[in-house]
Amino acid sequence: MRVGVVGYGTIGKRVADAVLRTSDMQLTGVAKTSPDYEAAIAMRRGIPLYAVPGREEAFRSSGIEVRGTISDLVSKSDVVIDATPDGVGEENKGKYYVGRRAVFQGGEEAYVAEVSFNALANYDEAKGKSYVRVVSCNTTALSRLISALASSGHSIRKVRAFLVRRGADPREHKKGPINDVVPNPVTIPSHHGPDVRTVIPVDIVTVAVAVPVTVMHLHMVNVEFEDRPSRDSIIEALASTPRISILYSKMGFNSLAQVIEYARDLGRERGDFMENAVFGDSISIQGNEVYLMQGVHQESIVVPENIDAVRAMMGTPKWESIMATDKALGLYSSDKRYG
Amino acid sequence: MRVGVVGYGTIGKRVADAVLRTSDMQLTGVAKTSPDYEAAIAMRRGIPLYAVPGREEAFRSSGIEVRGTISDLVSKSDVVIDATPDGVGEENKGKYYVGRRAVFQGGEEAYVAEVSFNALANYDEAKGKSYVRVVSCNTTALSRLISALASSGHSIRKVRAFLVRRGADPREHKKGPINDVVPNPVTIPSHHGPDVRTVIPVDIVTVAVAVPVTVMHLHMVNVEFEDRPSRDSIIEALASTPRISILYSKMGFNSLAQVIEYARDLGRERGDFMENAVFGDSISIQGNEVYLMQGVHQESIVVPENIDAVRAMMGTPKWESIMATDKALGLYSSDKRYG
């Protein structure tokens, strides 16, 4: 499968690298607006660069070779993964992707695609589709978690999730907050609950605040079941689900920063942690309800889902794709040995 | 009533100032360990200073006059408010308060006092007691909120509260976290839920994290009722409860920092905000459940409760005390005019 990546920022560069690691995919190139340090790195790594139309000369005058514009990249690709900023994907769809296949990110409105996508939740719904939207980082993490818990043998009645959002990504030097906690949004529910419902039919309410942190999001999650689950059944359901890692305090996992330090020590590229980082100590049963906390690495968690979205559109079976992606990216389901 | 304050830090200095503002109380003095800038301010303001035994000379050599030690202060007081660090109050009880009346803070274990106290929740239980414990800042805010919601005409079935705790107070220059979100504790429930039950018999689970913020705590609260309440009934219940302020985004209230800016502009001493700061826009009804967010000013929210605890012990009727305290401190129940 020939895959092009349009937009080479936080998500795009990670998705492009993931495509390069994936043996059944070929990276046809990446398209960018600015000839900045990220473009220079792509050139140095031999990734074919394409420019937004009208920007070719800016690249050339910066000494960065471009092979053409977005249209050229699209014509060379079976599927384009659009990782441009919120709303640009929709514009690009009309300009460049008519009659082609494209994967969009969660920052786009759901109507931009034929189906919203999470690999664990609704992989098969993307089969044969031309336009698929991978839901955003928080929604991806919630969708994985809910999919895992739904496999516990207990029926989910309701989900309440309380999101402590990182205020900015590490590269965003102008964003806040500083020394503040910001209801984000101040209204309830936040968009995340409705967004989860685009991939899983579940009763869910989400509440979100933003804090002065760049490292990860943290979710405090309450899941009400129809009956009382055992803690073992919950841990087993999570531990046997790909892309969910259970991390215990006895191994030193007490905060988000430690999860990222772990990723760095593992040699993960850019210090990314693409799994849900569930704090094992937090998994608690109260009557029919489960409470837990999980970390969500906003920069990288959707990368595996982008790869799977391409395969789902092209007809690869679900578990074949998930296993291939996780193997290529060096992910594993859970650190059972730490339990 | 003659009131002495032992411990003159974050809480103690505020409580002492509150006693000074209260016409039916006389501040007999404050006791301190160190002759630091806070001691110098107390001396300049004419507040009688007492030292921890053995520390008198340290004060005198710093040019700060002391009238005696803690025992002298206790003997001059009808009630002592102990605002020392966690655990010191218990030690002080055995050393100095035997046969006297003392108010402890929420950092002490519940068994240190005969009753844990929140003015709205269980004022009358402190009547005639010798040892009363004012519950901590987060517990005070939850207790007020639950007391208010219990007056809505709808029965509360269950409370789930998700606490985003400030990492440190403004003066604590050595505490973290920095760029991290820390499950605090990593286990569920946090101590706050059980602590609420020391003053209100309610089914409650709390989950808490700490973030790099000094400004205020923020609570995301879910309250399940036996039937479906109207939003108006909830707002009316909150608006008619003292020490709860409802703040709307149309008046510029979108974050905790803005609440403190408001307190500063109001001329509140030290920029304190002693009310629960409920974000009006967040009040949401989902089935039988209410969701909302509130800010909690950790440095000052327990001050009115300390004053009320003294009066409760001495036999003043509940609403007489609450109204007198709120008038003396310039509090009001809610900014209905901003609704």
Side-chain angles (χ1 to χ4, degrees):
Chain A
M1 306 171 206
R2 300 172 303 157
V3 180
V5 176
V6 174
Y8 193 67
T10 300
I11 301 296
K13 63 189 178 185
R14 288 172 165 84
V15 168
D17 284 349
V19 172
L20 286 172
R21 286 171 173 267
T22 303
S23 58
D24 57 343
M25 294 185 187
Q26 179 205 342
L27 182 66
T28 50
V30 301
K32 248 187 99 46
T33 306
S34 303
D36 56 13
Y37 67 86
E38 290 173 324
I41 289 174
M43 184 178 73
R44 201 164 64 193
R45 298 182 60 184
I47 298 173
L49 270 163
Y50 294 81
V52 169
R55 298 284 296 165
E56 302 93 318
E57 192 45 39
F59 279 82
R60 287 185 187 120
S61 68
S62 295
I64 295 176
E65 185 196 346
V66 290
R67 310 275 182 99
T69 65
I70 296 180
S71 302
D72 300 312
L73 175 61
V74 172
S75 70
K76 291 194 170 84
S77 309
D78 298 312
V79 180
V80 171
I81 298 178
D82 187 295
T84 56
D86 300 358
V88 178
E90 182 174 1
E91 292 173 24
N92 285 348
K93 182 185 174 189
K95 285 186 197 166
Y96 310 116
Y97 308 150
V98 176
R100 315 290 304 190
R101 293 188 197 88
V103 174
F104 300 96
Q105 306 306 310
E108 302 299 325
E109 299 292 337
Y111 64 71
V112 171
E114 296 162 273
V115 63
S116 290
F117 179 81
N118 173 265
L120 291 173
N122 70 337
Y123 184 98
D124 292 329
E125 291 178 29
K127 190 172 178 176
K129 295 290 194 299
S130 295
Y131 302 116
V132 173
R133 168 182 169 262
V134 172
V135 293
S136 67
C137 51
N138 282 306
T139 306
T140 293
L142 289 169
S143 299
R144 286 183 189 167
L145 183 74
I146 294 165
S147 297
L149 294 174
S151 73
S152 66
H154 302 274
S155 296
I156 295 174
R157 183 186 292 163
K158 191 174 286 198
V159 178
R160 304 171 185 88
F162 300 82
L163 283 53
V164 181
R165 305 172 74 172
R166 61 82 178 103
D169 285 345
R171 62 190 272 159
E172 297 176 305
H173 65 294
K174 289 185 178 175
K175 279 185 75 176
I178 292 176
N179 199 29
D180 200 1
V181 178
V182 184
N184 184 240
V186 70
T187 51
I188 297 172
S190 67
H191 75 271
H192 307 92
D195 212 23
V196 167
R197 282 200 292 266
T198 66
V199 296
I200 306 178
V202 65
D203 185 359
I204 178 170
V205 175
T206 51
V207 183
V209 299
V211 299
V213 160
T214 63
V215 67
M216 291 179 98
H217 303 293
L218 184 140
H219 296 176
M220 297 181 272
V221 185
N222 165 256
V223 180
E224 192 176 332
F225 289 87
E226 295 293 347
D227 58 0
R228 181 183 171 90
S230 69
R231 187 164 185 270
D232 284 349
S233 71
I234 295 302
I235 289 177
E236 178 55 29
L238 296 174
S240 59
T241 302
R243 300 175 192 171
I244 292 183
S245 188
I246 308 180
L247 306 172
Y248 291 91
S249 69
K250 65 180 170 187
M251 292 304 293
F253 294 108
N254 293 293
S255 86
L256 298 183
Q258 293 163 339
V259 176
I260 295 302
E261 185 73 358
Y262 178 50
R264 296 165 75 199
D265 287 347
L266 282 171
R268 296 282 182 91
E269 210 168 2
R270 297 187 178 85
D272 289 344
F273 199 81
M274 300 184 186
E275 298 91 343
N276 289 29
V278 175
F279 288 99
D281 300 65
S282 74
I283 300 169
S284 171
I285 312 292
Q286 306 277 339
N288 286 5
E289 303 181 26
V290 172
Y291 289 81
L292 61 79
M293 295 189 248
Q294 66 176 356
V296 180
H297 188 224
Q298 74 280 356
E299 296 173 287
S300 70
I301 192 173
V302 299
V303 171
E305 268 69 12
N306 271 275
I307 301 299
D308 287 333
V310 171
R311 286 211 200 82
M313 295 163 83
M314 302 295 279
T316 308
K318 173 176 179 174
W319 290 105
E320 185 182 319
S321 177
I322 290 175
M323 287 172 63
T325 301
D326 289 2
K327 189 176 174 199
L329 298 177
L331 310 183
Y332 40 74
S333 60
S334 193
D335 293 323
K336 287 185 197 179
R337 65 187 178 280
Y338 292 165
Chain B
M1 307 171 204
R2 299 172 305 158
V3 180
V5 176
V6 174
Y8 193 67
T10 300
I11 301 297
K13 63 189 179 187
R14 287 172 166 85
V15 168
D17 284 349
V19 172
L20 287 171
R21 287 171 172 266
T22 303
S23 60
D24 57 343
M25 294 184 188
Q26 179 206 339
L27 182 67
T28 50
V30 302
K32 249 188 96 50
T33 307
S34 303
D36 57 12
Y37 68 86
E38 292 173 323
I41 290 175
M43 184 178 74
R44 201 164 65 194
R45 297 182 61 183
I47 298 173
L49 270 163
Y50 294 81
V52 169
R55 298 284 296 164
E56 302 94 316
E57 192 46 41
F59 280 82
R60 286 183 187 120
S61 68
S62 297
I64 296 175
E65 185 196 345
V66 291
R67 310 275 181 98
T69 64
I70 296 181
S71 302
D72 300 312
L73 175 61
V74 172
S75 69
K76 292 193 169 85
S77 308
D78 297 312
V79 181
V80 171
I81 298 177
D82 186 296
T84 56
D86 299 359
V88 179
E90 182 175 1
E91 293 174 24
N92 286 347
K93 182 184 175 189
K95 287 185 196 166
Y96 310 116
Y97 308 151
V98 176
R100 314 292 302 190
R101 292 188 197 90
V103 174
F104 299 96
Q105 306 306 309
E108 302 299 326
E109 299 292 336
Y111 63 72
V112 171
E114 296 162 273
V115 64
S116 290
F117 179 81
N118 173 264
L120 290 172
N122 70 337
Y123 184 98
D124 292 329
E125 291 178 29
K127 189 171 178 177
K129 295 290 193 299
S130 296
Y131 302 115
V132 173
R133 169 182 170 262
V134 173
V135 292
S136 67
C137 51
N138 282 306
T139 306
T140 293
L142 289 169
S143 300
R144 286 183 188 167
L145 183 74
I146 295 165
S147 297
L149 293 174
S151 74
S152 66
H154 301 273
S155 296
I156 294 174
R157 182 185 294 164
K158 191 174 286 195
V159 178
R160 304 172 185 89
F162 300 82
L163 283 53
V164 181
R165 304 173 73 173
R166 60 84 180 99
D169 283 346
R171 60 189 274 160
E172 297 176 305
H173 65 295
K174 288 186 180 176
K175 280 186 72 175
I178 292 176
N179 199 30
D180 200 0
V181 178
V182 184
N184 186 239
V186 71
T187 50
I188 296 171
S190 68
H191 74 271
H192 307 93
D195 211 23
V196 167
R197 281 199 293 266
T198 66
V199 296
I200 305 177
V202 66
D203 185 359
I204 179 170
V205 175
T206 50
V207 184
V209 299
V211 298
V213 161
T214 64
V215 67
M216 292 178 97
H217 302 293
L218 184 139
H219 295 176
M220 297 182 271
V221 185
N222 164 256
V223 181
E224 190 175 333
F225 289 88
E226 296 291 347
D227 58 0
R228 181 184 170 89
S230 69
R231 187 165 185 271
D232 284 351
S233 72
I234 295 303
I235 290 177
E236 178 55 29
L238 296 174
S240 60
T241 302
R243 301 176 191 171
I244 291 183
S245 188
I246 308 180
L247 305 172
Y248 291 91
S249 67
K250 65 181 170 186
M251 292 304 292
F253 293 108
N254 293 293
S255 87
L256 298 183
Q258 293 163 340
V259 175
I260 295 302
E261 184 74 358
Y262 177 51
R264 296 164 76 197
D265 288 346
L266 281 171
R268 296 281 182 92
E269 211 167 1
R270 297 186 179 87
D272 288 345
F273 198 82
M274 300 184 185
E275 298 90 342
N276 289 31
V278 175
F279 289 100
D281 300 66
S282 75
I283 301 168
S284 171
I285 312 292
Q286 307 277 340
N288 284 6
E289 303 180 27
V290 171
Y291 289 80
L292 61 79
M293 294 190 248
Q294 65 177 356
V296 180
H297 189 225
Q298 74 280 357
E299 297 173 286
S300 70
I301 192 172
V302 299
V303 171
E305 268 69 12
N306 271 277
I307 301 299
D308 287 332
V310 171
R311 287 213 201 81
M313 295 162 84
M314 302 294 281
T316 309
K318 173 176 179 175
W319 289 105
E320 185 182 320
S321 177
I322 290 174
M323 287 173 63
T325 301
D326 290 0
K327 190 174 175 199
L329 298 177
L331 311 183
Y332 40 74
S333 59
S334 193
D335 292 324
K336 288 186 197 178
R337 64 188 178 282
Y338 293 163

